[in-house]
Amino acid sequence: MDIAGELNPQQQQAVTSSGRAILVLAGPGSGKTRVLAHRIAHLVQQRSVAPWAIMAVTFTNKAAREMRERVERLLGGQPDGLTLGTFHATCARILRRQADCLTAPADFVIYDAKDQESVVKQALKKLNLDEKRYRPRQILSIISRAKNELIAPEAFQARTYLEEVAGRVYGEYQALLRENDALDFDDLLMQVVFLLDTHPAVLRKYQQRYRHILVDEFQDTNTAQYVLIKQLAGGQGNLFCVGDEDQSIYLFRGADWRNVRRFREDYPESETILLEQNYRSTQLILDAAQAVIKRNSNRTHKALFTERKGGARITVGEPYDEDEEAEFVVNTIRRGNADPGSYAIMYRTNAQSRRIEEAFVRAGMPYRLVGATRFYARREVKDVIAYLRVVHNQADSIGLLRIINVPPRGIGAKTIAALQNWAAEQGIPLAAALEKIAATGDGTRSGRAPLPFPGRARKALVRFANLLTGWVMQRDTVPVPELMDLILEKSGYRAYLCDGSREGEDRWENILELRNVAREYPELTLTEFLERVALVSEVDNLTDEGDAPTLLTLHAAKGLEFPTVFILGVEEGILPHKRSWDEPEQMAEERRLFYVGITRARNKLYLLHCFRRAFWGDPDLGLPSRFLSDLPPELIDDREGMAAGAAVSYDYTGSALFSPRSSGTVGRSLLTPARAPSRGISPSPVKSRPIARPVEPSYRTGQRVRHDSFGEGIVIEAEPADGDEIVTVAFEDKGLKRLLASMAKLQAVDDE
DNA sequence: AACAAACGGCTTTTT
DNA sequence: GCCGTTTGTT
């Protein structure tokens, strides 16, 4: 979609409407980003509104950047003072500016998921609770939910035993964050809401400044975000929200599509505008998407249409296993003569990406991977950031503990524990204790309190403390990249990584990458650099450069579009994910996720589901996703099937495998056609499982057998193992079992 | 204190 | 099939 084109009547209406709150429900590919940008430009050009009186909030930095670029093109330059950024970044700015109203100082640090986990562990320890019994991640998700719902520790009400525990941890957790001058992601939002709630003067200031508030991806707002928007918009209702209920896929982090309804209730005068024309996909793809999403209730119906009538039918394929799935993708791309960059490969879980990556590597083809082990979550990157964070704010003991002995410098667990105790005894932060020790020098006495450290440990502590103080003294005069160099050298971290190993080299390269980020933004202070690093995500760095297919999760795909899209693992247990099976609400979200995936495709869509899928090491059956049966058969090209690459052509509509989950058990559906495993299609260097047979197999695929307690079934696979044989059998009543031939005493049933 | 080897828990999805 | 943690060894 180019900005040169005309706006259609609905878009035009959305851009120019005024005088009341507006809710734009925009279908996929309907140009909502464009509408937002045009509206900002429109407001500025009206002259009645100064750019600094406009606040536009998005969820990702990428969306913010895209919007900024569009606005710039429309206005022929950057509007002065326009507030345009993500919720989190905007909140962080407000908090730093209003620090005097808060418990947290302006130089607070931001904790990510890993740091949060460490804090929970500390809190558990403090409360004498066993972290094996109360899993930190679980506790954390309860705390996070509370924060997203704006429930402070004091107001937290437990409804289960675990919640009771979590409630206590929550209080301790917040206290620890405060001690560390730290905020987590959820705090950024919650604290701003609390701040505006308790400081009317501050609230008034922001309300008076921001005359227009625009919100992107409104369906993904959680309660905290919604309340924040409402606070800022005040009564005047110059609120402009754009979203699509059908693309709400962040329930798990507190997003609440009911905010759409709340909005209508809170602003009864508001106007709702539907954007139904799609400028992205073919009609066929749109039809498929609508067939899928139609089955959800609680949605505003939109009649999506496009001028791109017809279109290539959807290829649904069933490769044998993940390897064949990956080979199919690679071969299809290789054989097609389209630009490799026009392909996207999407999947439900990050864990699925590995097989595809391997296939691309084998084929010698480049690819772009979004997410997975996220750059900023890598150990070495986190280490360096921890160094910077501690230099920035010594109260950050989580960061300090991370690096105090990395690289190893003689400060072991014993010494650290002693240091922690000693600090706690005196009620001072860890770093202050460290400093105090250093202040005593190498001497043996320090006034009254004798230091509890033997000579060797103290020497190490003093050395480290001196390093730290040195960096702290330089942090305001030395630019961030140089500060990084200094730390990397003097801490011995570079030498520690560059030990000559291949892995060390890779890790060092990641550090250089981080340094490049710092170099790219030379004007950023240390505080700003750290904030940026904490609040950007991988998708944000996805650029258009590079002529390679893109690998990404369905979540990461939102807002993007590609000429050709593969969705992998369209199977029960994966999409929909098995964690969603018993929650209708979550199941609806899985459906929306699938919908998001489908609607990313401009021209051509491939949906793949494996016959066999290994979950964690153990092979299991793949059952086609129930969502596939919602696709009208005439939209599917099942004859082409896997012919282009892999093996099986497959009749979908008639198969038991294809029926919804409720109507067939694993065992029964298997009994229909016992399929021979097909091997990968690509020629040689493909990593193939050893097919060598040290022992002649005594069972063959498709053979009928009887087991003493499991009854009758069909052999799915028989593979030799150390002189024995592992037989996988699908039993009529008991489902799939893997058995050791010597133990199972299977009897052949010859009823043919 | 530092390393190697075994072990167990785990996977949704992200700002 | 991976990662981080625990355990054993020098």
Side-chain angles (χ1 to χ4, degrees):
Chain A
M1 249 168 304
D2 57 315
I3 57 165
E6 295 272 305
L7 294 168
N8 70 34
Q10 288 74 35
Q11 291 174 330
Q12 188 66 41
Q13 187 191 358
V15 167
T16 53
S17 272
S18 66
R20 51 185 166 167
I22 295 156
L23 175 63
V24 179
L25 295 182
S30 63
K32 70 180 172 61
T33 314
R34 190 166 165 231
V35 164
L36 275 164
H38 271 266
R39 185 169 172 90
I40 293 172
H42 174 77
L43 290 171
V44 171
Q45 277 168 341
Q46 288 290 292
R47 301 267 170 187
S48 54
V49 191
W52 52 260
I54 302 171
M55 174 191 274
V57 265
T58 61
F59 274 81
T60 64
N61 291 295
K62 181 175 183 292
R65 198 179 53 209
E66 214 178 289
M67 198 133 76
R68 188 171 292 120
E69 280 166 12
R70 280 178 183 276
V71 171
E72 214 167 295
R73 265 181 285 166
L74 287 170
L75 291 173
Q78 186 65 236
D80 232 18
L82 172 71
T83 301
L84 203 171
T86 62
F87 271 101
H88 288 87
T90 307
C91 288
R93 262 181 61 186
I94 294 177
L95 288 176
R96 292 211 200 272
R97 204 159 294 165
Q98 305 294 332
D100 48 315
C101 304
L102 286 164
T103 41
D107 59 349
F108 63 83
V109 293
I110 299 171
Y111 278 0
D112 71 6
K114 272 278 148 52
D115 303 318
Q116 286 178 280
E117 231 176 283
S118 307
V119 178
V120 169
K121 282 180 186 168
Q122 275 189 19
L124 284 169
K125 206 184 279 172
K126 252 189 163 162
L127 294 168
N128 257 325
L129 294 165
D130 181 8
E131 67 177 62
K132 292 267 159 55
R133 196 182 175 102
Y134 308 102
R135 290 219 292 292
R137 295 178 112 278
Q138 222 171 345
I139 304 263
L140 210 45
S141 83
I142 295 174
I143 294 176
S144 173
R145 212 179 313 146
K147 289 186 172 184
N148 287 329
E149 289 296 320
L150 297 171
I151 300 166
E154 309 81 58
F156 185 84
Q157 302 235 319
R159 290 153 66 234
T160 64
Y161 177 62
L162 186 65
E163 281 185 1
E164 196 277 323
V165 174
R168 280 190 285 151
V169 177
Y170 185 13
E172 194 60 48
Y173 173 86
Q174 288 302 86
L176 283 171
L177 285 185
R178 217 170 304 137
E179 270 176 40
N180 286 292
D181 286 354
L183 296 178
D184 63 19
F185 283 117
D186 303 318
D187 273 335
L188 292 174
L189 305 170
M190 182 175 80
Q191 301 293 355
V192 172
V193 172
F194 286 170
L195 169 88
L196 296 179
D197 204 36
T198 51
H199 295 74
V202 178
L203 176 64
R204 245 193 330 271
K205 186 182 109 185
Y206 282 105
Q207 283 180 342
Q208 275 164 9
R209 166 167 177 180
Y210 293 114
R211 309 300 308 280
H212 288 272
I213 312 237
L214 298 90
V215 184
D216 192 16
E217 306 282 14
F218 180 64
Q219 77 284 353
D220 285 330
T221 49
N222 58 35
T223 298
Q225 285 156 335
Y226 180 70
V227 171
L228 175 66
I229 295 164
K230 239 178 87 174
Q231 283 176 319
L232 291 173
Q236 44 176 327
N238 271 336
L239 190 51
F240 185 84
C241 298
V242 181
D244 182 1
E245 295 153 293
D246 294 333
Q247 294 187 60
S248 165
I249 53 174
Y250 285 103
L251 198 95
F252 68 91
R253 72 170 185 214
D256 194 341
W257 51 264
R258 270 164 301 229
N259 281 343
V260 169
R261 201 176 297 164
R262 275 195 219 169
F263 180 95
R264 290 200 178 124
E265 281 162 16
D266 290 343
Y267 299 94
E269 302 290 293
S270 69
E271 177 183 6
T272 301
I273 298 170
L274 297 182
L275 298 185
E276 295 172 304
Q277 179 163 7
N278 177 295
Y279 296 92
R280 177 186 296 153
S281 310
T282 63
Q283 186 65 50
L284 188 138
I285 287 169
L286 230 44
D287 287 345
Q290 300 231 65
V292 168
I293 201 66
K294 219 167 50 190
R295 309 233 168 194
N296 270 356
S297 43
N298 285 320
R299 52 183 292 271
T300 311
H301 174 74
K302 290 186 288 297
L304 302 185
F305 69 99
T306 173
E307 283 169 3
R308 301 186 60 199
K309 300 296 170 211
R313 285 198 282 185
I314 297 166
T315 300
V316 179
E318 181 179 47
Y320 175 64
D321 60 10
E322 297 100 317
D323 283 327
E324 204 176 276
E325 183 181 50
E327 291 300 332
F328 174 76
V329 171
V330 168
N331 286 332
T332 308
I333 294 174
R334 189 157 40 186
R335 284 168 202 184
N337 43 10
D339 162 20
S342 67
Y343 295 94
I345 299 118
M346 304 178 184
Y347 33 80
R348 176 68 235 267
T349 66
N350 277 310
Q352 288 170 256
S353 74
R354 225 192 67 250
R355 299 303 192 95
I356 317 297
E357 287 185 70
E358 285 170 2
F360 274 112
V361 170
R362 281 200 299 265
M365 291 160 69
Y367 60 89
R368 296 189 298 166
L369 178 70
V370 179
T373 2
R374 312 151 75 74
F375 180 71
Y376 292 106
R378 299 220 167 112
R379 203 177 55 206
E380 62 278 16
V381 177
K382 276 217 76 175
D383 284 342
V384 176
I385 290 174
Y387 268 104
L388 290 172
R389 240 168 48 185
V390 174
V391 170
H392 165 243
N393 185 338
Q394 291 90 71
D396 175 14
S397 64
I398 297 289
L400 179 58
L401 287 172
R402 186 185 176 93
I403 47 137
I404 194 165
N405 199 32
V406 179
R409 52 170 72 88
I411 306 175
K414 281 264 172 58
T415 310
I416 292 173
L419 182 67
Q420 280 180 298
N421 279 335
W422 192 66
E425 257 168 45
Q426 304 178 80
I428 58 173
L430 213 53
L434 202 55
E435 215 168 291
K436 212 165 173 179
I437 291 166
T440 67
D442 288 338
T444 39
R445 285 289 133 120
S446 72
R448 280 140 263 159
L451 296 174
F453 305 100
R456 197 152 51 111
R458 177 158 70 242
K459 232 178 209 158
L461 287 170
V462 170
R463 272 191 56 192
F464 179 66
N466 286 337
L467 276 177
L468 191 56
T469 331
W471 297 324
V472 171
M473 285 189 330
Q474 295 180 77
R475 76 171 174 207
D476 294 323
T477 48
V478 176
V480 179
E482 276 74 40
L483 185 62
M484 262 173 84
D485 289 343
L486 213 68
I487 291 173
L488 286 166
E489 246 4 272
K490 293 214 172 168
S491 67
Y493 202 87
R494 190 184 62 79
Y496 165 68
L497 278 191
C498 300
D499 56 353
S501 71
R502 174 70 211 278
E503 196 199 346
E505 211 174 291
D506 287 349
R507 292 188 184 279
W508 178 244
E509 250 161 47
N510 285 330
I511 303 230
L512 290 181
E513 186 61 40
L514 179 68
R515 192 157 147 275
N516 279 343
V517 176
R519 280 197 183 283
E520 248 175 78
Y521 306 95
E523 75 285 0
L524 293 187
T525 64
L526 182 56
T527 311
E528 288 163 342
F529 175 73
L530 286 172
E531 180 168 309
R532 185 179 184 88
V533 154
L535 297 178
V536 297
S537 75
E538 204 83 357
V539 208
D540 302 330
N541 300 324
L542 180 63
T543 50
D544 295 334
E545 74 202 46
D547 217 13
T550 305
L551 275 56
L552 74 183
T553 63
L554 288 164
H555 281 88
K558 194 162 77 158
L560 305 176
E561 61 174 48
F562 300 88
T564 302
V565 168
F566 297 88
I567 303 180
L568 309 189
V570 190
E571 289 152 43
E572 286 296 297
I574 295 185
L575 183 65
H577 197 274
K578 54 171 162 251
R579 289 280 242 258
S580 315
W581 276 349
D582 16 279
E583 266 292 326
E585 196 81 337
Q586 283 187 48
M587 186 54 85
E589 177 145 314
E590 297 288 312
R591 190 178 280 283
R592 292 193 290 266
L593 199 50
F594 187 42
Y595 174 77
V596 167
I598 294 174
T599 53
R600 297 312 96 193
R602 293 173 64 92
N603 308 324
K604 174 72 186 172
L605 183 63
Y606 292 89
L607 305 174
L608 304 181
H609 59 92
C610 291
F611 174 69
R612 272 185 83 171
R613 160 93 44 194
F615 258 103
W616 319 233
D618 294 324
D620 206 344
L621 275 189
L623 220 54
S625 167
R626 67 192 73 185
F627 299 151
L628 286 175
S629 46
D630 298 329
L631 296 175
E634 65 271 18
L635 305 182
I636 297 173
D637 187 352
D638 55 359
R639 248 174 317 168
E640 187 183 334
M642 302 294 290
V648 203
S649 75
Y650 184 65
D651 176 16
Y652 286 89
T653 41
S655 164
L657 271 172
F658 196 61
S659 54
R661 206 171 85 84
S662 51
S663 69
T665 64
V666 169
R668 220 180 61 214
S669 51
L670 257 180
L671 293 182
T672 4
R675 305 172 56 232
S678 58
R679 292 283 153 195
I681 13 61
S682 68
S684 43
V686 176
K687 176 203 75 184
S688 61
R689 248 186 317 266
I691 324 177
R693 300 270 154 104
V695 182
E696 192 56 19
S698 36
Y699 299 92
R700 64 186 161 77
T701 310
Q703 185 181 17
R704 257 195 112 66
V705 290
R706 182 199 305 281
H707 184 274
D708 282 345
S709 46
F710 295 141
E712 273 190 32
I714 281 184
V715 174
I716 294 303
E717 192 182 38
E719 55 175 323
D722 286 51
D724 207 323
E725 196 177 3
I726 294 172
V727 192
T728 309
V729 185
F731 290 102
E732 266 159 359
D733 298 315
K734 306 287 179 184
L736 199 68
K737 300 279 179 199
R738 302 186 78 207
L739 304 163
L740 214 53
S742 60
M743 304 292 289
K745 300 201 188 69
L746 293 166
Q747 294 158 10
V749 182
D750 38 336
D751 54 355
E752 288 150 349

